[in-house]
Amino acid sequence: MTNKVQVVVIGGGATGTGILRDLALRGIDCLLVEQNDLATGTSGRFHGLLHSGARYVVKDLHSAVECIQENKIIKEIAPDCVEDTGGMFIATKNDDLSYVDKWLEGCQRAGINTQEVSPREILREEPALTPDIVKAYLVPDAAVDGFTLAAANALAAVKLGAQVKTYTKVIGFKKEKNKICGVYLKDKYTGQEDLVSCDYVINASGAWAGQIAALAGQVINITPDKGVLVIFNHRITNRVLNHLRPPGDGDIFVPHGSVTVFGTTSKMTDNPEDNEASREEVLALLDEGTHLIPELKDIRLIRAFAGVRPLYQPDGGEVGREATRDFSIIDHQALTGLEGMISVVGGKLTTYRLMAKAAVDKVAPFLGNDKPCITHKERIYAPVPKNTGKDAHYLCQCERVTKKMLDQAVQNKERFSLSDVRRLTRLGMGPCQGTFCTFRAGAYYHETRGLSPEAANKLLKDHIEERWKGSKAILWGQQAQEAQLTRGIYLGLLNLERLDSDSHEI
Amino acid sequence: MKYDVVVIGAGLAGFSSALAAVELGKKVIVVAKGLGNLYSSSGYIDFLGYYPTTTSWPVTNPLQALEGLVSENPEHPYAKVGKESIIRSVNAFLKASGEMGLSYAGSLDSNLLMPTAAGALSPTSLYPGANGKDVKKAREMVVVGIKELIDFYPLIVAQNLERQLGKKVEALWVELGLDLGRELNSYDLALTLEQEKNVIGLINKLKSWGVKDKLVLIPAVLGIKDWQQVINRLESQLECQVMEIPTLPPSVMGYRLAQSFMHYLKKKGVEFIIGHPVVHVDCRAGRCREIAIETAAHRLKKIAGEAFCLATGGILGEGLQVFPKGIREVVFNLPVKTAETHSLEDFFSLEEQPLALAGVMTNEFLQPVDVETGEAALTNVFVAGATLAGYDPFLEKSGNGVALATGYRAGQLAAGGGKVNE
Ligand SMILES: Cc1cc2nc3c(=O)[nH]c(=O)nc-3n(C[C@H](O)[C@H](O)[C@H](O)COP(=O)(O)OP(=O)(O)OC[C@H]3O[C@@H](n4cnc5c(N)ncnc54)[C@H](O)[C@@H]3O)c2cc1C
Ligand SMILES: Cc1cc2nc3c(=O)[nH]c(=O)nc-3n(C[C@H](O)[C@H](O)[C@H](O)COP(=O)(O)OP(=O)(O)OC[C@H]3O[C@@H](n4cnc5c(N)ncnc54)[C@H](O)[C@@H]3O)c2cc1C
């Protein structure tokens, strides 16, 4: 690696990778560092809704306008990452109908198309919905895959010469006088430390932005806000489902491939890594959800997790749901006189491209670059394209992952975990949650990548542990049964828990 | 229709109950919602592989270890039935397995270490027809994978075995050329190996590799019905020894045992109704008189009995239903011993999982008891298999062993007409 770049971007979420691509498209020499894999922060622990903006029209019209504009652009430039399901807003007989009028007016002002459908018609198309519907509207919501989006942005940037370092943590800054001139890095696997010199740093570390800023002696008022999400084992509805009422807990269902993501909640936390959901949180969420899907509690849950929103309050204002979903570019020079660093905070995944543009627009002039942003004009591509259907030999049947896709996912990678592979291919994300495909993928990589048997055993076991984390809080109903099957296979049948520890001298 | 013994559940525990009862000349019926877990499990009957569960030494002499367990852990199902009952169940099973044409070998005096599909060594007591084959004794070994099968990878098996056994183990892929346009699971592949031309194909592939005098480890897919003949042919034509390795579900080895056992019991006069859940029970004054199953057209079919064996397979078999708070026994609504938390932090922990330990508590006669008072809730119902509380089958490797031993004992007690006075 060259130890000098123009810009170092911190954070491999939607925002950071979006910034990297924007910089690269303007011909700026740049490096992205991410402490884990791409999209392992909030961009991989979110709802997966490419907002039409309709959710925000009543309270936050400005955000809503940004959403609908970006929604259209992302659908155009990143079709590999979007499933254009469409969305619907449903009001039931228990909801306040005066809100519906305000909402319709807001949609109109924001320029969001709505189409009313009769309760009967929507029930025919979406039979899982409550029969208590009084109003139903279609909006241009869609599902977006945050893993693929970050990977596609990074890939596009790398093709233009940008660099990406994953599993590399920023541990400090080098300053000269009152100017940032380098970033200290630490390799998570080897522990090796390194210095990269640069002209500028863009802090895009989301909920961690306060921590990064502190490393540079800066204070940013980030209020990490935790949201719990659960995954059901099938598509409950074909469209994104929103509850037509003021935004609250448990009011959005997003279909993704073969599953549905439902949530969420909003609770202040002091730790951006607070990403486990408790049984109580899940149960409260399910209670809410039955207003829209009466049979919800009979549907099998396969996973529960949480993400942390990087909410930003410039003046210590509102928190939680009242806080703005707008984003801000913090110019540390203007604030404290520190040169060579900005922080990009707040916002939503849907508006990542806009955030990236604003950030690069701010930085480029300092580097003597006056090229315009063109990120809305060129397509980006998933590093591992979906299987087009010719090859019907699946290693992961739930998500139709082929051996070829596994090969592509680890191309040019020295080290990887099955979780890294999962993020690029959806391996193990379907109804069986990796029970069958983990074994197959571990053994497949052992052979094709020439791994040692110890490394292969670890690859496999780590992934089962990781999947277990997401199911621990929801061990009831069919998921309790599935957990027993998984134990039956990995312990009862394969005896994997003893593989590297048993003493054999019989 | 009235029966002496009504067995609820068609897993190994239910079969074992029916065997014991029919041996005692009773009129027996087995009713079950579906097929049992043998179709997923290996087909080996593990009695006790690790004791205590946290040890890294596999049990060498299960009978001896069982003696310790029975005295140290009175809540364990093995302690409820005792050593003599366990031995009786093994003898009865070995005899029956010979008669059903599926000879099992092995004994409670020693565990054999069997290679798993991950290349670990797993201790087991009873195994089908593999007498005399032992990876520890074999001089030369080759692990064979079949390209069409999605669930078996010979290289990882070979390298893991090599590390543990300290001797060279080869790995080899063969392709049978059956392009069916999709990946095959073990059962699919075993079906294709029922065809003569595919068996010949396999033999020819192995011939060109040269496996003479070696122990050939191959996934358990060598046919469903005629597997013993297939193995004999491979062994005689290739002058080698052949040992099957159980695979991920669907398990062909387990399938063979389930099918043979059921046919055998039918021949002995046991009736079967499979495919309908028990939805209603008639219990009065501490005794069950009658159960009802729901048949296709939502009709109830009543089945009366002197005594009942409850072998509904726990959480996996759906005899126990888990709720966010609490666990329900589905047939009789019996008291269930549950744990506060459902799970441990780590999946691969060597501590017993709370959810596995949960289940129906019984007295020494396998009668369900009140968790608090210890009093029998029903006196002519005997509980067996995975529905029982107090053990983690996957960690200690005892699933099929507990099913066999408790099932046999439950069947014998039920055959006594539910009057327990031995
Ligand atoms: C529950 C929930 C649901 C949501 N649903 C939606 C939705 O449906 N639609 C939508 O548009 N938005 C949604 N959002 C908001 C959206 O997910 C976030 O705004 C967005 O993902 C933030 O992206 P980011 O790149 O800024 O942050 P992140 O994705 O969190 O990226 C920051 C990265 O910085 C890395 N990092 C931190 N410290 C260091 C360090 N020292 N060195 C190196 N790297 C470091 C982290 O590992 C992390 O990967 C949701 C948020 C939550 C919490
Ligand atoms: C993948 C896997 C691998 C395993 N490998 C091994 C191994 O290698 N060695 C080993 O010893 N053990 C192994 N086990 C464990 C072993 O299979 C089980 O512990 C054992 O089979 C349990 O037998 P059972 O008869 O109690 O229950 P099951 O086999 O589950 O049978 C339960 C029966 O009850 C029926 N039933 C349930 N509810 C009702 C109802 N309401 N009405 C009527 N019928 C009902 C079911 O349909 C079924 O027929 C393994 C388990 C798994 C999951």
Side-chain angles (χ1 to χ4, degrees):
Chain A
M1 186 187 100
T2 33
N3 276 334
K4 165 93 179 101
V5 292
Q6 282 179 288
V7 178
V8 172
V9 181
I10 304 172
T15 314
T17 55
I19 291 169
L20 193 74
R21 170 168 172 260
D22 199 329
L23 289 165
L25 279 169
R26 300 192 209 196
I28 297 168
D29 178 27
C30 51
L31 161 73
L32 181 144
V33 286
E34 161 57 50
Q35 61 182 349
N36 295 306
D37 191 23
L38 296 180
T40 47
T42 313
S43 303
R45 305 186 145 270
F46 80 127
H47 220 139
L49 170 54
L50 186 67
H51 282 286
S52 61
R55 181 173 174 80
Y56 303 110
V57 290
V58 175
K59 258 209 199 112
D60 203 345
L61 191 65
H62 179 240
S63 277
V65 172
E66 286 179 354
C67 280
I68 185 63
Q69 287 169 352
E70 287 303 305
N71 171 293
K72 289 178 186 157
I73 294 172
I74 305 306
K75 283 179 186 170
E76 282 290 315
I77 65 165
D80 291 1
C81 312
V82 176
E83 189 188 343
D84 200 355
T85 57
M88 54 190 167
F89 273 74
I90 303 292
T92 73
K93 63 176 196 228
N94 304 317
D95 294 318
D96 171 11
L97 289 183
S98 70
Y99 184 78
V100 176
D101 296 332
K102 276 189 259 174
W103 180 80
L104 279 171
E105 194 196 313
C107 286
Q108 206 185 5
R109 284 175 58 195
I112 300 166
N113 280 334
T114 58
Q115 182 199 335
E116 181 163 7
V117 275
S118 73
R120 250 195 43 206
E121 194 178 332
I122 200 80
L123 269 169
R124 196 165 46 76
E125 289 178 17
E126 305 279 10
L129 288 174
T130 170
D132 295 340
I133 300 173
V134 289
K135 287 280 181 189
Y137 300 89
L138 303 186
V139 297
D141 282 342
V144 59
D145 176 341
F147 305 119
T148 312
L149 186 69
N153 271 305
L155 178 66
V158 167
K159 286 200 166 149
L160 295 164
Q163 301 173 64
V164 173
K165 275 179 126 355
T166 53
Y167 295 103
T168 303
K169 186 173 176 150
V170 170
I171 52 169
F173 294 99
K174 184 168 179 211
K175 286 197 237 175
E176 257 166 33
K177 298 203 186 108
N178 211 13
K179 182 176 184 328
I180 300 265
C181 59
V183 182
Y184 292 103
L185 306 177
K186 183 169 180 172
D187 184 308
K188 223 177 164 164
Y189 281 106
T190 62
Q192 197 180 323
E193 296 185 8
D194 216 345
L195 169 69
V196 178
S197 309
C198 61
D199 300 323
Y200 223 99
V201 166
I202 302 180
N203 172 15
S205 56
W208 291 260
Q211 295 180 5
I212 293 290
L215 292 177
Q218 303 286 298
V219 177
I220 313 183
N221 188 14
I222 295 279
T223 34
D225 181 79
K226 174 172 146 178
V228 172
L229 292 159
V230 296
I231 305 184
F232 291 98
N233 75 338
H234 69 270
R235 284 172 88 102
I236 299 172
T237 57
N238 285 312
R239 298 180 180 88
V240 174
L241 165 62
N242 301 266
H243 201 162
L244 181 36
R245 64 175 191 194
D249 284 356
D251 54 7
I252 304 181
F253 293 78
V254 184
H256 280 274
S258 56
V259 301
T260 301
V261 183
F262 165 59
T264 172
T265 59
S266 174
K267 196 172 138 218
M268 268 222 286
T269 170
D270 45 17
N271 176 8
E273 269 140 55
D274 183 1
N275 55 28
E276 275 191 33
S278 73
R279 176 158 46 157
E280 284 62 37
E281 286 171 315
V282 172
L283 291 175
L285 204 51
L286 293 182
D287 279 337
E288 270 311 315
T290 51
H291 296 312
L292 289 177
I293 307 287
E295 308 293 325
L296 194 64
K297 290 183 182 169
D298 296 331
I299 305 176
R300 189 181 133 209
L301 280 170
I302 54 179
R303 207 167 165 75
F305 63 102
V308 176
R309 295 180 191 86
L311 299 187
Y312 170 64
Q313 299 310 322
D315 45 12
E318 304 283 0
V319 294
R321 290 222 184 272
E322 300 305 318
T324 175
R325 299 301 202 250
D326 260 3
F327 66 87
S328 310
I329 306 289
I330 300 169
D331 178 353
H332 295 282
Q333 188 174 0
L335 270 182
T336 65
L338 176 70
E339 290 175 47
M341 171 159 152
I342 57 169
S343 294
V344 189
V345 292
K348 283 176 288 296
L349 185 123
T350 304
T351 54
Y352 85 93
R353 193 201 63 87
L354 208 58
M355 293 163 72
K357 173 178 184 299
V360 180
D361 282 348
K362 182 109 201 159
V363 172
F366 288 96
L367 307 168
N369 184 301
D370 60 0
K371 299 226 174 82
C373 169
I374 53 164
T375 50
H376 55 298
K377 290 188 179 154
E378 287 186 24
R379 252 195 82 171
I380 56 174
Y381 298 89
V384 181
K386 290 217 171 64
N387 179 35
T388 46
K390 263 181 252 146
D391 183 358
H393 294 76
Y394 301 120
L395 211 125
C396 163
Q397 278 119 346
C398 304
E399 295 290 345
R400 302 181 159 222
V401 180
T402 59
K403 291 179 181 171
K404 183 169 163 217
M405 291 165 76
L406 291 192
D407 294 340
Q408 288 168 334
V410 299
Q411 237 169 28
N412 314 321
K413 283 196 184 165
E414 260 172 63
R415 309 172 294 220
F416 59 90
S417 68
L418 290 185
S419 293
D420 299 351
V421 173
R422 184 184 74 243
R423 284 185 279 275
L424 292 174
T425 61
R426 297 190 62 84
L427 178 87
M429 283 200 197
C432 97
Q433 288 286 292
T435 298
F436 287 83
C437 60
T438 298
F439 169 75
R440 298 168 185 160
Y444 177 73
Y445 282 131
H446 167 253
E447 184 158 350
T448 54
R449 295 290 304 239
L451 303 180
S452 72
E454 292 90 341
N457 299 341
K458 181 164 163 25
L459 198 68
L460 204 158
K461 280 159 101 170
D462 284 353
H463 196 238
I464 292 289
E465 283 293 357
E466 196 281 337
R467 300 275 82 190
W468 176 246
K469 283 207 169 61
S471 83
K472 258 182 348 193
I474 50 163
L475 287 185
W476 60 78
Q478 285 175 36
Q479 189 57 24
Q481 217 180 335
E482 187 73 24
Q484 295 299 86
L485 177 64
T486 310
R487 293 190 79 230
I489 291 175
Y490 287 90
L491 280 64
L493 189 70
L494 298 175
N495 203 14
L496 252 188
E497 79 280 16
R498 321 266 182 179
L499 186 51
D500 288 303
S501 62
D502 258 12
S503 319
H504 289 294
E505 283 171 31
I506 318 180
Chain B
M1 199 52 138
K2 181 149 182 173
Y3 295 86
D4 297 323
V5 175
V6 178
V7 176
I8 309 169
L12 187 58
F15 289 165
S16 187
S17 298
L19 176 67
V22 84
E23 278 176 351
L24 291 170
K26 298 294 168 184
K27 188 169 165 57
V28 183
I29 185 168
V30 175
V31 296
K33 182 160 89 172
L35 303 169
N37 195 54
L38 280 174
Y39 294 84
S40 303
S41 82
S42 71
Y44 293 149
I45 299 181
D46 305 343
F47 270 84
L48 191 60
Y50 295 88
Y51 181 76
T53 58
T54 47
T55 178
S56 62
W57 290 93
V59 166
T60 52
N61 181 332
L63 200 58
Q64 212 177 347
L66 277 167
E67 269 169 28
L69 181 151
V70 165
S71 66
E72 287 155 24
N73 186 353
E75 295 310 323
H76 196 289
Y78 282 141
K80 305 282 181 195
V81 300
K83 185 176 130 186
E84 295 311 316
S85 272
I86 301 172
I87 296 174
R88 268 203 296 278
S89 74
V90 170
N91 293 338
F93 174 78
L94 286 176
K95 175 164 168 281
S97 81
E99 289 169 10
M100 61 181 89
L102 185 78
S103 293
Y104 267 63
S107 82
L108 284 182
D109 297 329
S110 68
N111 270 336
L112 192 60
L113 291 175
M114 291 296 193
T116 76
L121 293 168
S122 194
T124 192
S125 300
L126 310 180
Y127 37 88
N131 214 349
K133 294 168 195 170
D134 182 347
V135 290
K136 297 207 95 176
K137 295 195 186 122
R139 273 191 303 127
E140 284 185 274
M141 270 183 284
V142 52
V143 186
V144 176
I146 298 172
K147 275 275 179 205
E148 282 85 350
L149 176 64
I150 191 79
D151 284 323
F152 192 84
Y153 296 81
L155 194 65
I156 185 84
V157 178
Q159 291 191 359
N160 274 326
L161 285 177
E162 206 165 270
R163 288 190 307 137
Q164 296 164 93
L165 296 169
K167 59 187 165 198
K168 177 122 189 68
V169 183
E170 293 168 288
L172 141 78
W173 278 109
V174 299
E175 187 160 2
L176 296 178
L178 335 145
D179 195 13
L180 302 183
R182 63 184 164 89
E183 71 288 347
L184 301 185
N185 66 31
S186 302
Y187 183 76
D188 296 334
L189 186 57
L191 276 181
T192 71
L193 283 170
E194 288 279 301
Q195 294 168 25
E196 178 65 14
K197 66 169 197 293
N198 292 329
V199 176
I200 295 174
L202 176 63
I203 292 176
N204 288 338
K205 296 271 171 176
L206 290 175
K207 235 182 215 151
S208 59
W209 176 267
V211 295
K212 191 162 177 278
D213 295 334
K214 293 179 185 162
L215 177 60
V216 175
L217 303 174
I218 192 163
V221 294
L222 297 177
I224 306 249
K225 285 201 225 78
D226 293 333
W227 61 281
Q228 267 163 335
Q229 264 174 313
V230 174
I231 291 185
N232 291 344
R233 280 177 63 185
L234 257 66
E235 292 190 334
S236 65
Q237 294 192 24
L238 300 167
E239 299 172 64
C240 65
Q241 281 199 313
V242 174
M243 180 175 185
E244 286 183 306
I245 296 184
T247 53
L248 263 54
S251 157
V252 172
M253 261 194 198
Y255 184 97
R256 294 172 189 151
L257 175 57
Q259 292 285 314
S260 307
F261 211 150
M262 189 153 82
H263 288 145
Y264 175 76
L265 290 170
K266 279 183 181 164
K267 268 209 240 145
K268 295 242 153 192
V270 175
E271 290 174 46
F272 280 84
I273 304 181
I274 294 188
H276 310 289
V278 174
V279 290
H280 173 76
V281 294
D282 180 2
C283 298
R284 271 170 279 169
R287 287 178 65 82
C288 176
R289 281 144 218 272
E290 191 174 85
I291 60 168
I293 57 175
E294 192 179 66
T295 57
H298 289 290
R299 267 204 233 109
L300 290 189
K301 180 182 164 63
K302 293 180 175 172
I303 299 167
E306 277 297 321
F308 298 80
C309 292
L310 182 70
T312 44
I315 295 167
L316 195 53
E318 298 184 346
L320 299 176
Q321 216 180 344
V322 185
F323 294 91
K325 289 182 177 128
I327 299 180
R328 202 174 87 87
E329 187 283 307
V330 299
V331 174
F332 294 102
N333 203 11
L334 294 170
V336 175
K337 189 182 166 197
T338 44
E340 252 309 294
T341 54
H342 282 178
S343 68
L344 298 175
E345 202 51 34
D346 295 329
F347 180 88
F348 287 109
S349 166
L350 294 187
E351 303 281 333
E352 289 141 317
Q353 285 280 355
L355 214 48
L357 292 176
V360 175
M361 297 244 290
T362 69
N363 57 22
E364 68 205 283
F365 303 115
L366 297 178
Q367 294 163 320
V369 296
D370 188 293
V371 179
E372 303 291 310
T373 64
E375 236 158 86
L378 290 168
T379 52
N380 68 337
V381 171
F382 304 90
V383 188
T387 303
L388 292 167
Y391 74 118
D392 185 337
F394 304 124
L395 263 189
E396 65 186 26
K397 319 291 172 202
S398 66
N400 285 335
V402 167
L404 193 73
T406 57
Y408 198 74
R409 171 85 170 142
Q412 285 193 321
L413 289 166
K419 291 178 219 51
V420 180
N421 42 17
E422 294 199 333

